[in-house]
Amino acid sequence: KIIVFRSLLGILDMSVASVGIIAAPVAIYTVVYNTSPVFTALLGFIFLGEKVGCFEAFCMFGCIGGIVLIGMS
């Protein structure tokens, strides 16, 4: 059951990545794609109850803020 769900998420990831390469400039796509560990940690905190320390939260906030600033330009 979980493997099917994980496979579907992998397919979704590759599909979104392909559309992102086509639709967005390469520089913006690269920045957003390389911040996937931030979103993984955030989802782990929300769904799995993993602990996120003050330093990690500060770094996540900085990364997401950077994405917003790059997206506004």
Side-chain angles (χ1 to χ4, degrees), residues 28-43:
I28 292 174
Y29 169 77
T30 304
V31 169
V32 173
Y33 190 76
N34 286 329
T35 57
S36 62
V38 172
F39 296 109
T40 302
L42 188 61
L43 291 173

Side-chain angles (χ1 to χ4, degrees), residues 23-68:
V26 175
I28 292 174
Y29 169 77
T30 304
V31 169
V32 173
Y33 190 76
N34 286 329
T35 57
S36 62
V38 172
F39 296 109
T40 302
L42 188 61
L43 291 173
F45 173 73
I46 293 170
F47 292 112
L48 302 176
E50 293 186 8
K51 292 187 178 184
V52 175
C54 291
F55 180 71
E56 288 88 0
F58 177 75
C59 290
M60 282 189 223
F61 181 73
C63 286
I64 293 173
I67 292 172
V68 169

